[in-house]
């Protein structure tokens, strides 16, 4: 089974932390196999040596290796990261109309800061990519196709220009793969209002500000763009009409299940 070295290292450190006794290559291989990671005994031995080199395990004579205090700290740290990631993913799991509005508000908070950086750092290749996405977005709408991919990719491409790692990490969570489902919801709402072309014009104005290096205008235009979408969602899905939102989600889930694997 394919695996990442980081995953195997974490599983092995967990096994060592729980074992309470030294583990050799054979036991390490068995511990990894129980977690669904299949590697040879020699590979398990190399992995133990690598962990030893990082100070995460120590030799216990001929019996094998035991986890060090630094290793235990690493396990605790990785558990914390995993728990945080799970909470973040849960936070962007849209299940009600209010969830969608909260997520759009989070996008506005993060993206208006990121687009300032885009205006300050975008190069010609970046501008060319963004222009191509706006053209594809307009073409999709003119053909009556779902514009989800180029429209969403426009925002994701801007995020790649950020040099602020915390901001970029937050944006990657908010606009991660789970957001594709949200974008489909927005497409349905905008289509119902016949306002799909507004997003194209707004994207073009954002791009013009980025190309001009005008950070203030880029921020203001991005803010107005996402605020307009929030207002459309509020008109379409008032707080007392959550059943409509649930029907939309159910329909989308049904369509997803009907797609060929």
């Amino acid at each position: 089974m394919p695996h990442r070295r980081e995953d195997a290292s974490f599983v092995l450190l967990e096994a060592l932390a729980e074992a309470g006794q030294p583990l050799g290559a054979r036991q390490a291989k068995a511990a990894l196999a129980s977690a669904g990671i299949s590697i040879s005994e020699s590979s398990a031995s190399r992995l133990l040596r690598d962990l030893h080199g990082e100070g995460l395990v120590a030799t216990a004579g001929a019996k094998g290796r035991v986890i060090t205090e630094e290793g235990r700290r690493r396990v605790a740290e990785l558990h914390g990261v995993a728990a945080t990631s799970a909470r973040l993913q849960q936070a962007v799991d849209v299940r009600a109309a209010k969830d969608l509005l909260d997520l759009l508000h989070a996008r506005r908070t993060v993206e208006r800061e990121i687009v300032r950086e885009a205006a300050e750092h975008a190069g010609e290749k970046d501008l060319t990519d963004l222009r191509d996405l706006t053209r594809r977005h307009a073409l999709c709408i003119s053909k009556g196709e779902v514009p989800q991919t180029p429209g969403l990719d426009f925002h994701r491409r801007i995020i790649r220009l950020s040099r602020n790692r915390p901001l970029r990490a937050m944006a990657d969570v908010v606009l991660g793969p789970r957001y594709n489902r949200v974008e489909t919801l927005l497409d349905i709402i905008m289509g119902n209002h016949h306002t799909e072309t507004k997003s194209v014009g707004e994207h073009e104005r954002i791009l013009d500000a980025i190309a001009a290096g005008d950070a203030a205008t880029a921020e203001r235009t991005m803010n107005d763009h996402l605020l307009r979408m929030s207002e459309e969602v509020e008109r379409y899905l008032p707080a007392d009409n959550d059943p409509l939102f649930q029907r939309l989600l159910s329909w989308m889930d049904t369509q997803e299940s009907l797609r060929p694997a």
Side-chain angles (χ1 to χ4, degrees):
M1 175 184 294
H3 65 274
R4 295 189 310 148
R5 181 189 179 282
E6 293 82 359
D7 296 334
S9 296
F10 180 41
V11 168
L12 188 48
L13 280 175
E14 279 193 311
L16 284 160
E18 295 169 1
Q21 61 183 8
L23 296 183
R26 182 177 300 175
Q27 294 90 348
K29 176 187 175 184
L32 290 166
S34 67
I37 299 175
S38 178
I39 64 174
S40 67
E41 192 170 316
S42 60
S43 294
S45 180
R46 284 195 297 274
L47 189 55
L48 283 169
R49 287 199 301 272
D50 290 343
L51 293 174
H52 187 281
E54 295 176 40
L56 304 177
V57 303
T59 302
K63 296 180 180 180
R65 287 179 169 85
V66 294
I67 192 167
T68 63
E69 284 306 310
E70 179 61 28
R72 291 185 186 280
R73 281 194 292 271
R74 180 69 61 84
V75 170
E77 176 185 293
L78 291 171
H79 274 301
V81 169
T84 299
S85 177
R87 288 196 299 272
L88 287 171
Q89 292 302 326
Q90 186 177 21
V92 298
D93 188 17
V94 172
R95 290 293 168 188
K98 183 180 182 300
D99 296 337
L100 178 54
L101 289 169
D102 287 346
L103 191 53
L104 284 170
H105 177 71
R107 279 191 62 184
R108 191 154 51 93
T109 301
V110 174
E111 287 191 69
R112 67 190 184 196
E113 293 297 327
I114 283 180
V115 79
R116 292 185 64 90
E117 288 193 79
E120 294 167 356
H121 304 303
E124 283 305 316
K125 175 64 166 59
D126 303 315
L127 296 173
T128 297
D129 291 345
L130 290 170
R131 289 189 187 100
D132 179 59
L133 287 168
T134 55
R135 283 194 294 267
R136 285 169 51 199
H137 193 180
L139 184 61
C140 282
I141 291 174
S142 69
K143 291 182 175 180
E145 298 174 354
V146 177
Q148 172 183 316
T149 300
L152 184 53
D153 284 350
F154 178 86
H155 288 267
R156 287 172 171 163
R157 184 68 182 82
I158 289 174
I159 289 169
R160 287 169 53 190
L161 298 176
S162 175
R163 298 184 183 181
N164 183 315
R165 290 190 299 170
L167 268 180
R168 184 168 174 171
M170 286 188 284
D172 284 342
V173 170
V174 173
L175 282 177
R178 286 194 178 195
Y179 193 85
N180 292 356
R181 188 167 181 258
V182 174
E183 191 73 1
T184 301
L185 276 171
L186 291 174
D187 286 340
I188 293 170
I189 293 169
M190 303 305 151
N192 182 268
H193 292 165
H194 306 292
T195 56
E196 306 97 316
T197 56
K198 283 188 176 181
S199 288
V200 175
E202 289 162 355
H203 283 186
E204 289 173 344
R205 288 192 290 277
I206 292 168
L207 176 53
D208 288 343
I210 292 173
D214 188 342
T217 299
E219 178 184 359
R220 184 178 65 254
T221 310
M222 178 68 79
N223 182 74
D224 291 348
H225 168 51
L226 294 172
L227 181 60
R228 192 264 307 171
M229 289 200 294
S230 295
E231 290 171 346
E232 291 214 31
V233 170
E234 286 182 315
R235 289 202 307 274
Y236 189 73
L237 298 168
D240 60 352
N241 202 7
D242 210 53
L244 172 60
F245 188 82
Q246 295 302 323
R247 288 197 295 274
L248 275 175
L249 286 176
S250 296
W251 176 82
M252 287 171 54
D253 289 341
T254 300
Q255 297 303 305
E256 185 68 27
S257 67
L258 292 175
R259 291 180 184 175

